[in-house]
Every structure is written in C-alpha cells, then in structure tokens.
C-alpha cells in the first residue's frame, strides 16, 4: 500500500498482535481465576501456539519496517512467551520446581514493568494494558512462590482485565482506522 507521495505505507500490525495476545490471555486467565480446571488447558495451548505465539511474532516482525522498536519488542517477546509457555506445559511441567516457575513469571513481570515505563508517554489505553500485565505476572509469581491459591486466582482476574484492555485497543485500532476518526477513544499521548 502507498500514500499520495508514492511512499510505501505499511499496514498497522498492532490490532493483530493485540488480538492474539488478548484471546490467549483471556483463555489462560479463565483457568487461573478458577472458572475452568486444567482440563481446558489443551485449548489454551493450541491458541498459544497459533495465535498468541505465531500471530504476535508476525505482528512484531511487521513492526520492524515501520521503525517501531517498542511494538517489535513487545509482540515478538510475548509471542515467544506463549511459545515457551506451551512448550513448558506440554513437555516440562512436572520437571520444573514451582519456585523456578515463579522466577519465570517474575522475570516476565520485570520485562513487562520496564515495557510499561516505555508506554508512559504514549496512548493511555496501552499504558493500562502493560500496568495490568506486570501486576498479573507478579501475582502469579507470588502464587507459585508461596503456594497461596488466592494469589494465583487474583492473577487470573487481573489477567482477565489485561485481556479486555488488549481486546479494546485492538478493536479501537481497527474501528478507528475503518471510520477514519476516533470512534473508540484510547487516550491521547502525553505531550513531549
């Protein structure tokens, strides 16, 4: 696609990446919140590999020619998270101590925390996604470390909020672009 000056214009991959992240996060968070048992995990794994993992990776690679370091880093990283999660559950779940799983989740929380700091001059809705996500990771890590089921459930509920926020921003990106105006507000970025 090109614009009026004949310069290549790349499509916005964010709605794809956000939707892949949101759907997969929603499904896993329903289990973490206790709405479903681990028997539902196979569907999460399928979606984690196909949509949460692969679609986000594609979105991240699509961010590169747009010069969006943040988007590329976020989508490729969380795509890799979903692939690593699926591989862990499928092949290693019974072979890794809970404390180490806690460190895995905690370090994803650390990554998400500094990514959140990177959003603070951007769109407010994206800030909220990353805020809710680092809280989710830290709650789930604390649940693994302490064995307190309530922390795990709390992480599940904050994960559901994270997924809803990501779905909202994905929808806003699609709908606002289609209507060529802001139909769904996402909050304006802070002035430099």
């Amino acid at each position: 696609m090109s614009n009026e000056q004949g310069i290549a214009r790349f499509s916005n991959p964010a709605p794809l990446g956000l939707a892949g992240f949101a759907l997969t996060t929603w499904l896993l968070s329903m289990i973490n919140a206790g709405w479903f048992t681990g028997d539902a995990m196979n569907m999460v794994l399928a979606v984690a590999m196909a949509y949460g993992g692969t679609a986000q990776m594609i979105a991240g690679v699509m961010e590169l020619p747009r010069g969006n370091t943040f988007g590329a880093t976020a989508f490729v990283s969380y795509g890799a998270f979903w692939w690593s999660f699926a591989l862990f559950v499928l092949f290693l779940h019974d072979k890794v101590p809970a404390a180490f799983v806690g460190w895995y989740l905690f370090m994803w929380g650390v990554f998400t925390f500094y990514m959140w700091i990177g959003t603070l001059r951007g769109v407010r809705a994206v800030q909220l996604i990353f805020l809710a996500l680092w809280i989710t990771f830290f709650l789930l890590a604390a649940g693994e470390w302490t064995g307190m089921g309530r922390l795990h459930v709390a992480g599940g509920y904050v994960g559901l909020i994270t997924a809803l926020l990501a779905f909202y921003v994905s929808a806003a990106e699609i709908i606002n672009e289609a209507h060529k105006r802001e139909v769904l507000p996402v909050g304006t970025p802070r002035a430099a």
Side-chain angles (χ1 to χ4, degrees):
M1 185 179 259
S2 62
N3 62 18
E4 293 80 36
Q5 291 100 11
I7 299 170
R9 182 178 161 265
F10 297 100
S11 63
N12 180 4
L16 170 64
L18 287 164
F21 172 79
L23 178 62
T24 315
T25 300
W26 179 267
L27 293 175
L28 179 59
S29 294
M30 287 194 300
I31 295 172
N32 288 337
W35 294 6
F36 291 90
T37 66
D39 294 341
M41 186 61 74
N42 286 335
M43 180 58 73
V44 175
L45 297 178
V47 174
M49 288 186 277
Y51 203 34
T54 304
Q56 278 195 95
M57 291 272 194
I58 291 167
V61 170
M62 289 174 66
E63 290 284 11
L64 293 170
R66 295 169 52 94
N68 185 351
T69 302
F70 181 90
T73 302
F75 290 133
V76 171
S77 294
Y78 293 114
F81 166 81
W82 285 115
W83 271 96
S84 71
F85 175 80
L87 292 169
F88 166 73
V89 172
L90 286 170
F91 302 112
L92 306 169
H93 189 264
D94 298 334
K95 298 176 175 107
V96 179
F100 203 77
V101 174
W103 278 105
Y104 167 80
L105 294 166
F106 179 79
M107 294 313 298
W108 276 105
V110 168
F111 169 75
T112 304
F113 182 80
Y114 76 72
M115 293 295 284
W116 172 67
I117 292 171
T119 70
L120 294 180
R121 296 187 73 81
V123 174
R124 290 192 182 37
V126 174
Q127 294 170 20
L128 293 174
I129 293 169
F130 281 84
L131 172 65
L133 184 57
W134 70 254
I135 293 169
T136 299
F137 277 125
F138 287 155
L139 285 168
L140 293 173
E144 291 293 327
W145 286 332
T146 65
M148 294 176 60
R150 286 178 290 178
L151 289 171
H152 196 77
V153 169
Y157 278 100
V158 179
L160 291 167
I161 292 167
T162 304
L164 288 174
L165 290 165
F167 269 131
Y168 177 84
V169 175
S170 176
E173 295 268 346
I174 293 289
I175 293 167
N176 293 348
E177 183 178 318
H179 290 271
K180 297 187 182 8
R181 65 183 177 87
E182 188 175 70
V183 176
L184 294 176
V186 293
T188 56
R190 285 183 169 172

